[in-house]
Structures are given as structure tokens and as C-alpha cells.
Amino acid sequence: MKKTIAIVACAATILLAGKANAQLGINAGYVPVTLSTAVTSGNTTSTSTSEMDGFFAGVTYNYGLSRDLGVAFGLQGRYYTKTSTGSANFVVVSGNDKSTTTQLMLDVPVLFNYSLPLGSAKLTAFAGPTFSYAVYGNTHVTSTTTILGSSSTTETDYAMYGDNSSNNRLDITAAFGLQFQYSDFRLFGGYRLGLTDLNTNENVKTTSSGLFVGLGYNL
């Protein structure tokens, strides 16, 4: 009984200390992604990459475990887009086709962080996993055919996810980086490394990676 009371008291002390250091914040920034694909056929493996521009916005709740150590839980949305001719993400197009790919992701980051006070400012290192789910993905392809001087245009949408797709909605990435905070304003940046195969085909492996940079404000 005494041990139980001691454990509860210790947990309560940690919880109250954490609440005293807890901080809610909002974030927004730029997060491009590189999709690296390796296709294996027999003893031969071919690789290719594709990039998309992306932006994110969300909220974080940093829970203080001690004076300088914390863990930040978050919820954020990521929006990706790419427009190109003769190439596309996730679908095969011909040389003259124009394609626009859009994707919407929902992230739950869990980032452990350690802060170093710098007078009225502080520098924070952070690292941890991010769990992501693809809410929406689509590639819009415009094909133009010219026969005897007469042109016709066909527009087709290809869903990136669904029953007939080999794309995986779930992704887990490892994120790490640095943050500089002055007053309630934060500037941060880092790198994301995908740990999950985004293609369900056995002979195809696709992973994500990329830098990110953003601004934040503590409420």
C-alpha cells in the first residue's frame, strides 16, 4: 500500500511539473517531399525519384518532462502539389500529357526535445517519429491528340488510393532538427526520413524523404 501511494505521488508530481512547463503552439511552413522508387526485376533494380512541393500547418502541445526536456504531440495537415508535362506521380503518362498531382496528408508527430537556454532565447534539438495518413490523392491528366490538324482534349482523373491502387496510405517517418525560439516566436527546420514502404507491390519499394522549415507561435 505504501509503495502504491508513493508511485501515485511520484506520478502526480511529474504530471504537475509537466503541466507547469506545457505549451500550446501553432505552426506553418514549407515541406517538399522526394519519393524514391526502386523496381526489382530478376537480378536488376532500377531507381527513380520524383519531387513535390508541399506546405503544412498545425498545432503542437509540448509537455515538459523536466526543466529542459519535453515531448511534443501534434496534429497537422500537409498539402502537396506538382504540375508537369510528360511525367507524373503514381501514374504513367505519355510525353505530351500534362498532369497535376495533389495530395493531402494528416500527421501526428511525437517529438522529444531538449532545450538550451540562450539568455532571453533558447535553442532546441528535437527528434522522433511522425505517423501519417493519406486522406486524399489524385492525378489529373490532360491529353491532347491532333489528327489532320484537328485537336481533341481528354481529361482523366486517377485516384492515388483505393481498391485498385497499390499505394499505401500509411507512412511513418523519423524527423529530427533544430528550433530557435525568441519570446513566443519559433523558427525551426529539419529533415524527414520515411521508414515505410509506400507501395504494396512486392517488387516495388517507394519511400519518402525531405527537408522542412517552418515558423511557430506559442499561445
Side-chain angles (χ1 to χ4, degrees), residues 152-184:
S152 61
T153 300
T154 302
E155 297 186 1
T156 308
D157 286 299
Y158 297 90
M160 291 166 54
Y161 307 100
D163 295 336
N164 299 320
S165 174
S166 61
N167 298 314
N168 190 358
R169 289 181 180 269
L170 298 177
D171 191 16
I172 300 175
T173 58
F176 52 90
L178 293 173
Q179 173 181 275
F180 177 79
Q181 178 177 332
Y182 180 77
S183 185
D184 288 325

PDB file of all heavy atoms in Angstrom, residues 152-184:
ATOM      1  N   SER A 152      -8.116  17.292 -80.242  1.00  0.00           N
ATOM      2  CA  SER A 152      -9.127  16.934 -79.249  1.00  0.00           C
ATOM      3  C   SER A 152      -8.445  16.728 -77.901  1.00  0.00           C
ATOM      4  O   SER A 152      -7.312  16.247 -77.841  1.00  0.00           O
ATOM      5  CB  SER A 152      -9.878  15.666 -79.660  1.00  0.00           C
ATOM      6  OG  SER A 152      -8.986  14.570 -79.759  1.00  0.00           O
ATOM      7  N   THR A 153      -9.128  17.097 -76.844  1.00  0.00           N
ATOM      8  CA  THR A 153      -8.557  17.028 -75.495  1.00  0.00           C
ATOM      9  C   THR A 153      -9.381  16.090 -74.628  1.00  0.00           C
ATOM     10  O   THR A 153     -10.613  16.154 -74.615  1.00  0.00           O
ATOM     11  CB  THR A 153      -8.517  18.424 -74.848  1.00  0.00           C
ATOM     12  OG1 THR A 153      -7.704  19.292 -75.649  1.00  0.00           O
ATOM     13  CG2 THR A 153      -7.916  18.352 -73.447  1.00  0.00           C
ATOM     14  N   THR A 154      -8.674  15.244 -73.902  1.00  0.00           N
ATOM     15  CA  THR A 154      -9.309  14.314 -72.975  1.00  0.00           C
ATOM     16  C   THR A 154      -8.745  14.540 -71.585  1.00  0.00           C
ATOM     17  O   THR A 154      -7.518  14.618 -71.411  1.00  0.00           O
ATOM     18  CB  THR A 154      -9.066  12.855 -73.388  1.00  0.00           C
ATOM     19  OG1 THR A 154      -9.564  12.644 -74.705  1.00  0.00           O
ATOM     20  CG2 THR A 154      -9.765  11.903 -72.432  1.00  0.00           C
ATOM     21  N   GLU A 155      -9.607  14.649 -70.598  1.00  0.00           N
ATOM     22  CA  GLU A 155      -9.185  14.842 -69.215  1.00  0.00           C
ATOM     23  C   GLU A 155      -9.597  13.631 -68.380  1.00  0.00           C
ATOM     24  O   GLU A 155     -10.750  13.207 -68.425  1.00  0.00           O
ATOM     25  CB  GLU A 155      -9.781  16.124 -68.636  1.00  0.00           C
ATOM     26  CG  GLU A 155      -9.318  17.390 -69.364  1.00  0.00           C
ATOM     27  CD  GLU A 155      -9.793  18.656 -68.690  1.00  0.00           C
ATOM     28  OE1 GLU A 155     -10.465  18.536 -67.633  1.00  0.00           O
ATOM     29  OE2 GLU A 155      -9.498  19.752 -69.192  1.00  0.00           O
ATOM     30  N   THR A 156      -8.616  13.099 -67.619  1.00  0.00           N
ATOM     31  CA  THR A 156      -8.855  11.888 -66.832  1.00  0.00           C
ATOM     32  C   THR A 156      -8.285  12.072 -65.430  1.00  0.00           C
ATOM     33  O   THR A 156      -7.190  12.618 -65.264  1.00  0.00           O
ATOM     34  CB  THR A 156      -8.197  10.661 -67.483  1.00  0.00           C
ATOM     35  OG1 THR A 156      -8.587  10.581 -68.853  1.00  0.00           O
ATOM     36  CG2 THR A 156      -8.604   9.386 -66.765  1.00  0.00           C
ATOM     37  N   ASP A 157      -9.022  11.610 -64.433  1.00  0.00           N
ATOM     38  CA  ASP A 157      -8.557  11.642 -63.046  1.00  0.00           C
ATOM     39  C   ASP A 157      -8.190  10.229 -62.605  1.00  0.00           C
ATOM     40  O   ASP A 157      -8.937   9.273 -62.841  1.00  0.00           O
ATOM     41  CB  ASP A 157      -9.632  12.207 -62.122  1.00  0.00           C
ATOM     42  CG  ASP A 157      -9.796  13.704 -62.274  1.00  0.00           C
ATOM     43  OD1 ASP A 157      -8.810  14.416 -62.022  1.00  0.00           O
ATOM     44  OD2 ASP A 157     -10.895  14.156 -62.650  1.00  0.00           O
ATOM     45  N   TYR A 158      -7.028  10.117 -61.940  1.00  0.00           N
ATOM     46  CA  TYR A 158      -6.556   8.846 -61.412  1.00  0.00           C
ATOM     47  C   TYR A 158      -6.453   8.969 -59.890  1.00  0.00           C
ATOM     48  O   TYR A 158      -5.636   9.736 -59.374  1.00  0.00           O
ATOM     49  CB  TYR A 158      -5.193   8.479 -61.991  1.00  0.00           C
ATOM     50  CG  TYR A 158      -5.204   8.263 -63.494  1.00  0.00           C
ATOM     51  CD1 TYR A 158      -4.965   9.318 -64.366  1.00  0.00           C
ATOM     52  CD2 TYR A 158      -5.449   6.994 -64.024  1.00  0.00           C
ATOM     53  CE1 TYR A 158      -4.969   9.116 -65.745  1.00  0.00           C
ATOM     54  CE2 TYR A 158      -5.450   6.787 -65.393  1.00  0.00           C
ATOM     55  CZ  TYR A 158      -5.217   7.850 -66.249  1.00  0.00           C
ATOM     56  OH  TYR A 158      -5.220   7.654 -67.604  1.00  0.00           O
ATOM     57  N   ALA A 159      -7.277   8.214 -59.177  1.00  0.00           N
ATOM     58  CA  ALA A 159      -7.225   8.226 -57.717  1.00  0.00           C
ATOM     59  C   ALA A 159      -5.964   7.508 -57.251  1.00  0.00           C
ATOM     60  O   ALA A 159      -5.638   6.416 -57.722  1.00  0.00           O
ATOM     61  CB  ALA A 159      -8.458   7.560 -57.129  1.00  0.00           C
ATOM     62  N   MET A 160      -5.228   8.121 -56.330  1.00  0.00           N
ATOM     63  CA  MET A 160      -3.982   7.540 -55.841  1.00  0.00           C
ATOM     64  C   MET A 160      -4.223   6.420 -54.843  1.00  0.00           C
ATOM     65  O   MET A 160      -3.345   5.573 -54.628  1.00  0.00           O
ATOM     66  CB  MET A 160      -3.124   8.639 -55.204  1.00  0.00           C
ATOM     67  CG  MET A 160      -2.580   9.633 -56.207  1.00  0.00           C
ATOM     68  SD  MET A 160      -1.916  11.139 -55.430  1.00  0.00           S
ATOM     69  CE  MET A 160      -0.766  10.441 -54.271  1.00  0.00           C
ATOM     70  N   TYR A 161      -5.402   6.413 -54.214  1.00  0.00           N
ATOM     71  CA  TYR A 161      -5.690   5.414 -53.188  1.00  0.00           C
ATOM     72  C   TYR A 161      -7.055   4.802 -53.449  1.00  0.00           C
ATOM     73  O   TYR A 161      -7.948   5.439 -53.979  1.00  0.00           O
ATOM     74  CB  TYR A 161      -5.641   6.049 -51.796  1.00  0.00           C
ATOM     75  CG  TYR A 161      -4.357   6.781 -51.538  1.00  0.00           C
ATOM     76  CD1 TYR A 161      -4.294   8.171 -51.660  1.00  0.00           C
ATOM     77  CD2 TYR A 161      -3.199   6.107 -51.193  1.00  0.00           C
ATOM     78  CE1 TYR A 161      -3.106   8.848 -51.427  1.00  0.00           C
ATOM     79  CE2 TYR A 161      -2.007   6.781 -50.974  1.00  0.00           C
ATOM     80  CZ  TYR A 161      -1.971   8.152 -51.095  1.00  0.00           C
ATOM     81  OH  TYR A 161      -0.793   8.828 -50.886  1.00  0.00           O
ATOM     82  N   GLY A 162      -7.189   3.556 -53.063  1.00  0.00           N
ATOM     83  CA  GLY A 162      -8.451   2.868 -53.273  1.00  0.00           C
ATOM     84  C   GLY A 162      -8.238   1.389 -53.520  1.00  0.00           C
ATOM     85  O   GLY A 162      -7.121   0.861 -53.417  1.00  0.00           O
ATOM     86  N   ASP A 163      -9.314   0.699 -53.895  1.00  0.00           N
ATOM     87  CA  ASP A 163      -9.269  -0.747 -54.085  1.00  0.00           C
ATOM     88  C   ASP A 163      -8.332  -1.168 -55.209  1.00  0.00           C
ATOM     89  O   ASP A 163      -7.724  -2.240 -55.149  1.00  0.00           O
ATOM     90  CB  ASP A 163     -10.673  -1.279 -54.366  1.00  0.00           C
ATOM     91  CG  ASP A 163     -11.612  -1.092 -53.179  1.00  0.00           C
ATOM     92  OD1 ASP A 163     -11.094  -0.986 -52.049  1.00  0.00           O
ATOM     93  OD2 ASP A 163     -12.837  -1.031 -53.403  1.00  0.00           O
ATOM     94  N   ASN A 164      -8.218  -0.353 -56.251  1.00  0.00           N
ATOM     95  CA  ASN A 164      -7.402  -0.724 -57.405  1.00  0.00           C
ATOM     96  C   ASN A 164      -6.018  -0.087 -57.382  1.00  0.00           C
ATOM     97  O   ASN A 164      -5.304  -0.106 -58.386  1.00  0.00           O
ATOM     98  CB  ASN A 164      -8.119  -0.324 -58.699  1.00  0.00           C
ATOM     99  CG  ASN A 164      -9.456  -1.025 -58.855  1.00  0.00           C
ATOM    100  OD1 ASN A 164      -9.579  -2.208 -58.537  1.00  0.00           O
ATOM    101  ND2 ASN A 164     -10.450  -0.296 -59.344  1.00  0.00           N
ATOM    102  N   SER A 165      -5.636   0.469 -56.246  1.00  0.00           N
ATOM    103  CA  SER A 165      -4.352   1.153 -56.148  1.00  0.00           C
ATOM    104  C   SER A 165      -3.365   0.342 -55.321  1.00  0.00           C
ATOM    105  O   SER A 165      -3.744  -0.366 -54.386  1.00  0.00           O
ATOM    106  CB  SER A 165      -4.536   2.536 -55.506  1.00  0.00           C
ATOM    107  OG  SER A 165      -3.288   3.151 -55.268  1.00  0.00           O
ATOM    108  N   SER A 166      -2.086   0.451 -55.691  1.00  0.00           N
ATOM    109  CA  SER A 166      -1.019  -0.217 -54.936  1.00  0.00           C
ATOM    110  C   SER A 166      -0.326   0.731 -53.965  1.00  0.00           C
ATOM    111  O   SER A 166       0.681   0.371 -53.357  1.00  0.00           O
ATOM    112  CB  SER A 166       0.021  -0.802 -55.900  1.00  0.00           C
ATOM    113  OG  SER A 166       0.614   0.221 -56.681  1.00  0.00           O
ATOM    114  N   ASN A 167      -0.862   1.940 -53.821  1.00  0.00           N
ATOM    115  CA  ASN A 167      -0.258   2.924 -52.927  1.00  0.00           C
ATOM    116  C   ASN A 167      -0.747   2.735 -51.497  1.00  0.00           C
ATOM    117  O   ASN A 167      -1.933   2.505 -51.255  1.00  0.00           O
ATOM    118  CB  ASN A 167      -0.583   4.348 -53.390  1.00  0.00           C
ATOM    119  CG  ASN A 167      -0.012   4.625 -54.761  1.00  0.00           C
ATOM    120  OD1 ASN A 167       1.143   4.312 -55.034  1.00  0.00           O
ATOM    121  ND2 ASN A 167      -0.813   5.216 -55.638  1.00  0.00           N
ATOM    122  N   ASN A 168       0.180   2.845 -50.563  1.00  0.00           N
ATOM    123  CA  ASN A 168      -0.117   2.676 -49.144  1.00  0.00           C
ATOM    124  C   ASN A 168      -0.447   4.032 -48.518  1.00  0.00           C
ATOM    125  O   ASN A 168       0.308   4.989 -48.655  1.00  0.00           O
ATOM    126  CB  ASN A 168       1.098   2.053 -48.446  1.00  0.00           C
ATOM    127  CG  ASN A 168       0.791   1.621 -47.027  1.00  0.00           C
ATOM    128  OD1 ASN A 168      -0.319   1.807 -46.532  1.00  0.00           O
ATOM    129  ND2 ASN A 168       1.781   1.053 -46.366  1.00  0.00           N
ATOM    130  N   ARG A 169      -1.585   4.111 -47.838  1.00  0.00           N
ATOM    131  CA  ARG A 169      -1.988   5.374 -47.211  1.00  0.00           C
ATOM    132  C   ARG A 169      -1.143   5.710 -45.982  1.00  0.00           C
ATOM    133  O   ARG A 169      -0.978   6.879 -45.634  1.00  0.00           O
ATOM    134  CB  ARG A 169      -3.453   5.321 -46.789  1.00  0.00           C
ATOM    135  CG  ARG A 169      -4.453   5.350 -47.939  1.00  0.00           C
ATOM    136  CD  ARG A 169      -5.868   5.316 -47.392  1.00  0.00           C
ATOM    137  NE  ARG A 169      -6.884   5.330 -48.427  1.00  0.00           N
ATOM    138  CZ  ARG A 169      -7.445   6.431 -48.938  1.00  0.00           C
ATOM    139  NH1 ARG A 169      -7.090   7.619 -48.470  1.00  0.00           N
ATOM    140  NH2 ARG A 169      -8.371   6.361 -49.863  1.00  0.00           N
ATOM    141  N   LEU A 170      -0.641   4.710 -45.280  1.00  0.00           N
ATOM    142  CA  LEU A 170       0.065   4.928 -44.023  1.00  0.00           C
ATOM    143  C   LEU A 170       1.555   5.127 -44.256  1.00  0.00           C
ATOM    144  O   LEU A 170       2.168   4.439 -45.074  1.00  0.00           O
ATOM    145  CB  LEU A 170      -0.157   3.744 -43.085  1.00  0.00           C
ATOM    146  CG  LEU A 170      -1.598   3.485 -42.658  1.00  0.00           C
ATOM    147  CD1 LEU A 170      -1.662   2.227 -41.795  1.00  0.00           C
ATOM    148  CD2 LEU A 170      -2.161   4.673 -41.906  1.00  0.00           C
ATOM    149  N   ASP A 171       2.132   6.057 -43.520  1.00  0.00           N
ATOM    150  CA  ASP A 171       3.569   6.309 -43.598  1.00  0.00           C
ATOM    151  C   ASP A 171       4.080   6.662 -42.207  1.00  0.00           C
ATOM    152  O   ASP A 171       3.408   7.365 -41.444  1.00  0.00           O
ATOM    153  CB  ASP A 171       3.867   7.447 -44.575  1.00  0.00           C
ATOM    154  CG  ASP A 171       5.349   7.566 -44.896  1.00  0.00           C
ATOM    155  OD1 ASP A 171       6.097   6.593 -44.615  1.00  0.00           O
ATOM    156  OD2 ASP A 171       5.762   8.609 -45.422  1.00  0.00           O
ATOM    157  N   ILE A 172       5.247   6.168 -41.877  1.00  0.00           N
ATOM    158  CA  ILE A 172       5.922   6.520 -40.632  1.00  0.00           C
ATOM    159  C   ILE A 172       7.272   7.109 -41.000  1.00  0.00           C
ATOM    160  O   ILE A 172       8.045   6.495 -41.745  1.00  0.00           O
ATOM    161  CB  ILE A 172       6.112   5.303 -39.711  1.00  0.00           C
ATOM    162  CG1 ILE A 172       4.756   4.688 -39.357  1.00  0.00           C
ATOM    163  CG2 ILE A 172       6.836   5.709 -38.433  1.00  0.00           C
ATOM    164  CD1 ILE A 172       4.856   3.419 -38.542  1.00  0.00           C
ATOM    165  N   THR A 173       7.555   8.293 -40.511  1.00  0.00           N
ATOM    166  CA  THR A 173       8.827   8.944 -40.797  1.00  0.00           C
ATOM    167  C   THR A 173       9.556   9.274 -39.498  1.00  0.00           C
ATOM    168  O   THR A 173       8.925   9.483 -38.454  1.00  0.00           O
ATOM    169  CB  THR A 173       8.624  10.240 -41.602  1.00  0.00           C
ATOM    170  OG1 THR A 173       7.763  11.128 -40.869  1.00  0.00           O
ATOM    171  CG2 THR A 173       8.000   9.958 -42.958  1.00  0.00           C
ATOM    172  N   ALA A 174      10.865   9.324 -39.598  1.00  0.00           N
ATOM    173  CA  ALA A 174      11.697   9.791 -38.486  1.00  0.00           C
ATOM    174  C   ALA A 174      12.097  11.228 -38.785  1.00  0.00           C
ATOM    175  O   ALA A 174      12.650  11.517 -39.854  1.00  0.00           O
ATOM    176  CB  ALA A 174      12.927   8.913 -38.328  1.00  0.00           C
ATOM    177  N   ALA A 175      11.805  12.129 -37.869  1.00  0.00           N
ATOM    178  CA  ALA A 175      12.102  13.544 -38.062  1.00  0.00           C
ATOM    179  C   ALA A 175      13.092  14.014 -37.008  1.00  0.00           C
ATOM    180  O   ALA A 175      13.044  13.581 -35.856  1.00  0.00           O
ATOM    181  CB  ALA A 175      10.828  14.380 -37.982  1.00  0.00           C
ATOM    182  N   PHE A 176      13.992  14.891 -37.424  1.00  0.00           N
ATOM    183  CA  PHE A 176      14.931  15.482 -36.467  1.00  0.00           C
ATOM    184  C   PHE A 176      15.332  16.853 -36.983  1.00  0.00           C
ATOM    185  O   PHE A 176      15.317  17.126 -38.187  1.00  0.00           O
ATOM    186  CB  PHE A 176      16.168  14.590 -36.275  1.00  0.00           C
ATOM    187  CG  PHE A 176      16.856  14.189 -37.551  1.00  0.00           C
ATOM    188  CD1 PHE A 176      17.865  14.966 -38.091  1.00  0.00           C
ATOM    189  CD2 PHE A 176      16.479  13.038 -38.221  1.00  0.00           C
ATOM    190  CE1 PHE A 176      18.499  14.596 -39.266  1.00  0.00           C
ATOM    191  CE2 PHE A 176      17.108  12.652 -39.394  1.00  0.00           C
ATOM    192  CZ  PHE A 176      18.126  13.433 -39.915  1.00  0.00           C
ATOM    193  N   GLY A 177      15.675  17.746 -36.034  1.00  0.00           N
ATOM    194  CA  GLY A 177      16.045  19.090 -36.440  1.00  0.00           C
ATOM    195  C   GLY A 177      16.324  19.996 -35.256  1.00  0.00           C
ATOM    196  O   GLY A 177      16.468  19.544 -34.116  1.00  0.00           O
ATOM    197  N   LEU A 178      16.393  21.305 -35.555  1.00  0.00           N
ATOM    198  CA  LEU A 178      16.684  22.322 -34.549  1.00  0.00           C
ATOM    199  C   LEU A 178      15.628  23.416 -34.590  1.00  0.00           C
ATOM    200  O   LEU A 178      15.038  23.699 -35.641  1.00  0.00           O
ATOM    201  CB  LEU A 178      18.062  22.948 -34.798  1.00  0.00           C
ATOM    202  CG  LEU A 178      19.286  22.042 -34.613  1.00  0.00           C
ATOM    203  CD1 LEU A 178      20.549  22.779 -35.058  1.00  0.00           C
ATOM    204  CD2 LEU A 178      19.411  21.593 -33.161  1.00  0.00           C
ATOM    205  N   GLN A 179      15.414  24.035 -33.448  1.00  0.00           N
ATOM    206  CA  GLN A 179      14.471  25.137 -33.341  1.00  0.00           C
ATOM    207  C   GLN A 179      15.089  26.278 -32.537  1.00  0.00           C
ATOM    208  O   GLN A 179      15.706  26.042 -31.496  1.00  0.00           O
ATOM    209  CB  GLN A 179      13.187  24.662 -32.659  1.00  0.00           C
ATOM    210  CG  GLN A 179      12.196  25.780 -32.347  1.00  0.00           C
ATOM    211  CD  GLN A 179      10.963  25.258 -31.654  1.00  0.00           C
ATOM    212  OE1 GLN A 179      10.021  24.813 -32.292  1.00  0.00           O
ATOM    213  NE2 GLN A 179      10.954  25.292 -30.322  1.00  0.00           N
ATOM    214  N   PHE A 180      14.892  27.488 -33.024  1.00  0.00           N
ATOM    215  CA  PHE A 180      15.335  28.681 -32.306  1.00  0.00           C
ATOM    216  C   PHE A 180      14.106  29.462 -31.875  1.00  0.00           C
ATOM    217  O   PHE A 180      13.229  29.766 -32.692  1.00  0.00           O
ATOM    218  CB  PHE A 180      16.219  29.560 -33.184  1.00  0.00           C
ATOM    219  CG  PHE A 180      16.650  30.837 -32.508  1.00  0.00           C
ATOM    220  CD1 PHE A 180      17.689  30.831 -31.586  1.00  0.00           C
ATOM    221  CD2 PHE A 180      16.010  32.040 -32.784  1.00  0.00           C
ATOM    222  CE1 PHE A 180      18.086  32.001 -30.954  1.00  0.00           C
ATOM    223  CE2 PHE A 180      16.400  33.209 -32.166  1.00  0.00           C
ATOM    224  CZ  PHE A 180      17.448  33.190 -31.245  1.00  0.00           C
ATOM    225  N   GLN A 181      14.013  29.769 -30.582  1.00  0.00           N
ATOM    226  CA  GLN A 181      12.851  30.468 -30.051  1.00  0.00           C
ATOM    227  C   GLN A 181      13.269  31.761 -29.379  1.00  0.00           C
ATOM    228  O   GLN A 181      14.208  31.797 -28.584  1.00  0.00           O
ATOM    229  CB  GLN A 181      12.102  29.589 -29.043  1.00  0.00           C
ATOM    230  CG  GLN A 181      10.908  30.288 -28.404  1.00  0.00           C
ATOM    231  CD  GLN A 181      10.128  29.389 -27.459  1.00  0.00           C
ATOM    232  OE1 GLN A 181      10.118  28.174 -27.622  1.00  0.00           O
ATOM    233  NE2 GLN A 181       9.479  29.993 -26.467  1.00  0.00           N
ATOM    234  N   TYR A 182      12.551  32.821 -29.718  1.00  0.00           N
ATOM    235  CA  TYR A 182      12.736  34.116 -29.048  1.00  0.00           C
ATOM    236  C   TYR A 182      11.357  34.619 -28.660  1.00  0.00           C
ATOM    237  O   TYR A 182      10.480  34.764 -29.526  1.00  0.00           O
ATOM    238  CB  TYR A 182      13.429  35.114 -29.965  1.00  0.00           C
ATOM    239  CG  TYR A 182      13.650  36.464 -29.310  1.00  0.00           C
ATOM    240  CD1 TYR A 182      14.681  36.646 -28.393  1.00  0.00           C
ATOM    241  CD2 TYR A 182      12.802  37.536 -29.595  1.00  0.00           C
ATOM    242  CE1 TYR A 182      14.879  37.869 -27.779  1.00  0.00           C
ATOM    243  CE2 TYR A 182      12.996  38.763 -28.980  1.00  0.00           C
ATOM    244  CZ  TYR A 182      14.036  38.924 -28.070  1.00  0.00           C
ATOM    245  OH  TYR A 182      14.223  40.146 -27.456  1.00  0.00           O
ATOM    246  N   SER A 183      11.155  34.876 -27.388  1.00  0.00           N
ATOM    247  CA  SER A 183       9.836  35.219 -26.864  1.00  0.00           C
ATOM    248  C   SER A 183       8.886  34.069 -27.193  1.00  0.00           C
ATOM    249  O   SER A 183       9.180  32.929 -26.885  1.00  0.00           O
ATOM    250  CB  SER A 183       9.352  36.542 -27.449  1.00  0.00           C
ATOM    251  OG  SER A 183       8.128  36.939 -26.865  1.00  0.00           O
ATOM    252  N   ASP A 184       7.774  34.337 -27.842  1.00  0.00           N
ATOM    253  CA  ASP A 184       6.831  33.276 -28.210  1.00  0.00           C
ATOM    254  C   ASP A 184       6.953  32.859 -29.670  1.00  0.00           C
ATOM    255  O   ASP A 184       6.150  32.051 -30.169  1.00  0.00           O
ATOM    256  CB  ASP A 184       5.394  33.736 -27.939  1.00  0.00           C
ATOM    257  CG  ASP A 184       5.089  33.801 -26.460  1.00  0.00           C
ATOM    258  OD1 ASP A 184       5.606  32.946 -25.715  1.00  0.00           O
ATOM    259  OD2 ASP A 184       4.346  34.708 -26.044  1.00  0.00           O
TER     260      ASP A 184
END
